[in-house]
Amino acid sequence: MATKAAKELPKEEFILPGTRSCAACGLMLTYRHSLKALDPGKTIVAVPASCMTVLHGVYPITPVKVICVNNPFAATGAAASGIVAGLKATGKAGYTVVAFAGDGGTYDIGIQSLSGALERGTDFMYVCYDNEGYMNTGTQRSSASPAGAVTTTTPILAKLQHKKDMLRIVEAHRIPYVATASPSFPLDLYDKVRKAKEIKGSRYIEVHAPCPPGWGFPNKDLIKMGKLAADTAVHVLYEIVDGKFRLTSRSLRLAEKGGKKTVADYVKGQTRFKKITEGQIQALQEFTDRRWYEFMERHQNGRS
Amino acid sequence: MGKKVGIEVSIAAAEAVGLCDVDVVAAYPITPQTHVVEHLSELVASGDLDAEFVPVESEHSAMSVCCGSSAVGARTFTATAAQGLALMAEIVYIASSMRLPMVMFLSNRALSAPLSIWNDHSDTMMVRDSGWIQVFCENGQEVYDAIFHSFRVSEDPKVSLPVMINVDGFNLTHVIEPIEFWDKEMVKAYLPPFRPLSKLHPDKVLSMGAFGMPEIYAEQKQAHDVALTSSTPVILQGWDEMAKLTGRKYSAVETYRAEDAETLIFAMGSICETSTIAVDKMREQGKSVGLVKLRLWRPLPMGDLRKLLAKAKDVVVLDRSIALGAANAPVTSEMRALMYHEPQRPKIHCMIAGIGGRDVTPDDVVKMVNMALSEKDYEYHIYGVRG
């Protein structure tokens, strides 16, 4: 059953005050709501070297009340596979193994170990928090960075290529659950993590995690930026359960009631797009529209 | 006492891993390691071994799976060689630094390029500073016995470090030898259940592998070094206990006709057996030659080695890998460093031999000793290079 109001979310917090993450961190909020859905007493988290490592604290202090193993950048899918295999081999049932990796650790360096884990049908959940760049090392370009974004490795011309369609790649593994989410829609995020927790096999959730220092917008606009991404269909909220596609939350409403905003509305509030040309905005709009119409069509097909 | 069978060394090693009732095996195929993991996957698939076999998509993932499974307290095994170890190297350091017990069967093979699937020790030397326990084996029986010993040492709470068993690719992995098997009772008496120092379990919240700031990194490294160097008594005790069970007594360093020898050949791995024949030949010619066989490469048994080497006039190290641009080769380098401050020290000669699978016969060993004794400089020689 869908959660209807924020007051229905569990009160207990699993991330204590005093983390080392930046103010208004989209990942931090994502992690906070996800842990509420996960039952941390029965959860083991695998984390690559990333913003997540920083969030998890510096030895010997951690602000997070969940057990965690840090693994190298490329290894998240495999490290989680090892935890799953070890638990199974030693007869420990009822645990959820969750990997939390960024877009660099998922789209780029971690794609091989993730694909291996999905192909083997590893019984675990993988959450990719997509902040569209290597934010922990100082905002370098990743294959998840959108076209037109200035990063520290695309400083002059901005990024010339569109974002990789990682979700399609993940979907091609035909795993039982694929979903997208956003910390700006916490109830949708919470419900998806909770649903994924109950499913056996490999589950993948990709969360669009706005990053104020990396994208260049004021801290106060974190939630607004996530909502704008959904309202423009730059980020589309959906889930695919056993191959059956459906739009959810704000994206569902957008499909039913219309009112989609333009990409121009989205890029103007972020300094990373300061060099974007009219032509690039147009290309980004076409890229966004093409995906959006595909999703609407799949949503219709899923219903019929 | 178990029965003696003629069997390929790799298959015997896999049988030993099975007898240890391993929980998780994660491996990626690479020659000449394949027979070990193929046989293990057979044991798992047939139901003879109740374990998880994780057929990963790379060696990087193999070692990552091993770290994950060891971290939750599962008895863990992997096997690899050369390029596989190179790809793993990032995680190899992490496994030992996070004090995660596991056993690796390394079928020693040359590093590319040129592409070579044949034997030398360049792979293991690449990770000699990674903080693993590293042992070498001379023959199939030693490989088989080393599996039980390695799990016992690795998982001992006083040690809690991964162990790498070095097995010469093809020269040892693919030969059929008479091997005396253990039975289940022997394994039960010898190898206690795995009870890790700390493991990931939601009942006791902990983080593994967190950020270490400059204030803690050096302390962590010293603690690791102390853990590794202090593992020697446990390693030796493991061999003592094995002697009681099997009658076979292993030591960190062993010798052959070395008591009164003026010249000592110094070797590791299967080349030791070749060298014993060379020693016999030279003894027949009235030459005062003996052999030092080093089994325990890490932690280096420094006291034993100093005592042994100090008695000789010349030591001829047969190095099975090359360190390009270095003062000499890895094993020679350590022996020279070890003896430098000793009041009485031998001349230590460096013979790099048998790299990339080049055969080394007993006659080659004799030639190398003669070359070393007549050499004017004491740098290094790559033996047998055609002009």
Side-chain angles (χ1 to χ4, degrees):
Chain A
M1 214 171 71
T3 310
K4 294 231 165 27
K7 65 180 182 195
E8 289 175 35
L9 295 177
K11 296 282 179 290
E12 188 177 355
E13 297 293 344
F14 300 98
I15 306 173
L16 304 174
T19 82
R20 285 178 174 252
S21 55
C22 309
C25 173
L27 154 65
M28 163 77 183
L29 208 50
T30 302
Y31 198 35
R32 179 185 171 202
H33 296 310
S34 299
L35 287 180
K36 287 177 184 240
L38 276 169
D39 184 8
K42 284 273 185 186
T43 301
I44 298 178
V45 179
V47 169
S50 63
C51 293
M52 268 297 271
T53 323
V54 178
L55 192 158
H56 256 272
V58 169
Y59 178 86
I61 293 164
T62 179
V64 188
K65 293 195 284 181
V66 61
I67 64 164
C68 161
V69 61
N70 290 275
N71 48 259
F73 217 175
T76 312
S81 299
I83 297 169
V84 172
L87 289 173
K88 191 168 173 213
T90 52
K92 295 185 189 77
Y95 295 99
T96 309
V97 177
V98 187
F100 256 92
D103 49 291
T106 303
Y107 283 59
D108 293 342
I109 197 170
I111 191 171
Q112 179 179 310
S113 69
L114 170 61
S115 176
L118 299 182
E119 184 271 333
R120 293 189 297 273
T122 307
D123 184 19
F124 81 131
M125 190 192 310
Y126 190 104
V127 180
C128 168
Y129 61 95
D130 176 19
N131 50 25
E132 304 191 321
Y134 290 89
M135 300 322 191
N136 193 42
T137 44
T139 321
Q140 291 83 16
R141 161 207 202 279
S142 82
S143 62
S145 304
V150 167
T151 69
T152 50
T153 48
T154 53
I156 309 294
L157 296 175
K159 195 185 173 212
L160 299 174
Q161 303 82 8
H162 283 299
K163 186 185 184 89
K164 183 192 279 185
D165 200 344
M166 184 66 194
L167 282 149
R168 283 281 202 182
I169 296 170
V170 169
E171 205 188 326
H173 291 78
R174 296 183 180 277
I175 57 175
Y177 190 76
V178 178
T180 60
S182 162
S184 297
F185 301 94
L187 306 184
D188 182 63
L189 167 65
Y190 175 82
D191 285 345
K192 282 169 176 167
V193 174
R194 214 173 46 160
K195 183 183 272 185
K197 181 175 166 286
E198 301 307 323
I199 293 172
K200 290 283 284 179
S202 302
R203 297 142 271 165
Y204 179 90
I205 301 177
E206 184 162 301
V207 184
H208 195 237
C211 171
W215 296 8
F217 63 85
N219 292 345
K220 67 177 175 57
D221 289 345
L222 170 74
I223 302 298
K224 204 168 106 183
M225 202 50 71
K227 284 186 174 169
L228 198 51
D231 287 339
T232 52
V234 163
H235 180 63
V236 179
L237 300 166
Y238 64 83
E239 67 178 7
I240 307 168
V241 187
D242 290 325
K244 205 169 165 191
F245 183 101
R246 75 176 190 98
L247 293 167
T248 66
S249 187
R250 183 68 69 104
S251 297
L252 176 61
R253 214 167 75 197
L254 199 65
E256 287 173 349
K257 301 202 167 136
K260 187 160 74 77
K261 292 183 178 164
T262 64
V263 165
D265 293 330
Y266 176 68
V267 301
K268 72 181 175 200
Q270 303 173 45
T271 59
R272 64 173 169 163
F273 291 113
K274 65 189 169 194
K275 294 194 176 178
I276 198 164
T277 62
E278 281 305 318
Q280 282 175 316
I281 290 177
Q282 190 53 38
L284 203 52
Q285 185 68 59
E286 282 164 17
F287 177 77
T288 306
D289 287 346
R290 202 161 53 243
R291 288 181 78 235
W292 174 241
Y293 293 125
E294 273 172 25
F295 286 139
M296 289 223 290
E297 197 182 328
R298 293 183 72 186
H299 180 70
Q300 290 303 329
N301 293 343
R303 286 189 155 182
S304 57
Chain B
M1 190 61 72
K3 60 178 190 257
K4 202 167 203 168
V5 289
I7 189 168
E8 189 187 301
V9 172
S10 289
I11 308 296
E15 286 284 334
V17 173
L19 271 174
C20 291
D21 197 20
V22 70
D23 293 315
V24 175
V25 178
Y28 185 81
I30 182 168
T31 304
Q33 149 265 34
T34 42
H35 292 182
V36 181
V37 286
E38 282 169 6
H39 191 63
L40 274 167
S41 66
E42 263 174 50
L43 292 177
V44 174
S46 66
D48 292 333
L49 174 60
D50 182 16
E52 291 294 307
F53 183 85
V54 189
V56 284
E57 79 297 331
S58 77
E59 285 91 354
H60 193 276
S61 285
M63 186 45 57
S64 301
V65 165
C66 289
C67 286
S69 62
S70 178
V72 294
R75 180 167 287 165
T76 299
F77 177 82
T78 188
T80 192
Q83 306 313 116
L85 184 67
L87 187 56
M88 270 185 191
E90 182 189 20
I91 323 288
V92 164
Y93 272 73
I94 287 166
S96 57
S97 304
M98 282 169 65
R99 306 284 303 275
L100 295 170
M102 66 183 73
V103 174
M104 179 199 291
F105 177 103
L106 182 65
S107 43
N108 299 114
R109 161 181 154 174
L111 287 171
S112 291
L115 176 61
S116 168
I117 58 168
W118 293 276
N119 171 229
D120 71 25
H121 291 170
S122 53
D123 54 4
T124 199
M125 289 303 159
M126 179 181 55
V127 295
R128 69 187 163 150
D129 303 330
S130 62
W132 283 54
I133 293 168
Q134 287 176 292
V135 293
F136 279 83
C137 303
E138 186 180 330
N139 57 45
Q141 186 71 58
E142 289 192 15
V143 175
Y144 180 79
D145 291 341
I147 300 281
F148 306 103
H149 179 258
S150 299
F151 275 117
R152 178 181 157 127
V153 169
S154 176
E155 295 172 2
D156 189 305
K158 292 195 285 295
V159 177
S160 196
L161 285 168
V163 179
M164 192 180 293
I165 306 172
N166 288 281
V167 184
D168 284 319
F170 293 116
N171 293 355
L172 207 45
T173 55
H174 283 54
V175 294
I176 293 170
E177 292 197 3
I179 292 175
E180 195 174 273
F181 267 51
W182 292 34
D183 57 37
K184 280 189 176 156
E185 279 64 43
M186 290 166 74
V187 182
K188 205 175 157 193
Y190 184 73
L191 179 63
F194 180 25
R195 292 204 178 84
L197 269 182
S198 57
K199 62 178 174 179
L200 297 175
H201 191 287
D203 293 348
K204 191 180 165 222
V205 175
L206 61 87
S207 294
M208 282 192 183
F211 245 107
M213 299 303 268
E215 293 79 15
I216 201 71
Y217 189 87
E219 282 74 7
Q220 199 282 335
K221 287 296 149 189
Q222 176 167 321
H224 187 172
D225 189 47
V226 168
L228 183 58
T229 50
S230 322
S231 66
T232 307
V234 178
I235 295 169
L236 299 181
Q237 195 197 1
W239 281 326
D240 288 346
E241 296 291 323
M242 189 183 291
K244 289 179 201 157
L245 271 175
T246 66
R248 288 182 293 278
K249 174 76 176 78
Y250 296 117
S251 309
V253 197
E254 285 167 19
T255 56
Y256 179 72
R257 302 181 79 168
E259 295 71 30
D260 59 338
E262 289 180 2
T263 302
L264 287 174
I265 300 167
F266 189 101
M268 285 156 41
S270 62
I271 202 173
C272 291
E273 292 218 332
T274 314
S275 300
T276 57
I277 302 170
V279 167
D280 288 344
K281 284 190 174 195
M282 284 185 280
R283 285 280 183 179
E284 275 168 32
Q285 296 162 5
K287 288 179 182 162
S288 178
V289 179
L291 170 67
V292 174
K293 308 189 270 189
L294 181 60
R295 176 171 292 106
L296 186 61
W297 170 237
R298 288 290 185 269
L300 199 64
M302 292 185 274
D304 292 353
L305 287 171
R306 281 203 181 99
K307 249 185 263 167
L308 270 171
L309 300 190
K311 287 195 275 184
K313 275 168 69 180
D314 290 273
V315 174
V316 183
V317 180
L318 307 183
D319 248 296
R320 301 288 322 277
S321 68
I322 191 163
L324 300 167
N328 46 71
V331 183
T332 308
S333 180
E334 298 227 3
M335 294 313 122
R336 284 182 181 168
L338 201 59
M339 299 310 288
Y340 182 77
H341 290 291
E342 294 301 298
Q344 196 186 336
R345 58 180 193 237
K347 286 171 186 160
I348 300 177
H349 309 269
C350 179
M351 288 290 167
I352 297 165
I355 54 174
R358 183 76 60 91
D359 266 347
V360 178
T361 65
D363 283 343
D364 290 321
V365 176
V366 172
K367 277 185 200 160
M368 280 190 273
V369 172
N370 291 336
M371 265 177 74
L373 296 182
S374 64
E375 71 176 350
K376 294 281 184 289
D377 64 85
Y378 302 109
E379 299 303 326
Y380 59 89
H381 301 276
I382 304 174
Y383 175 75
V385 177
R386 285 168 295 133

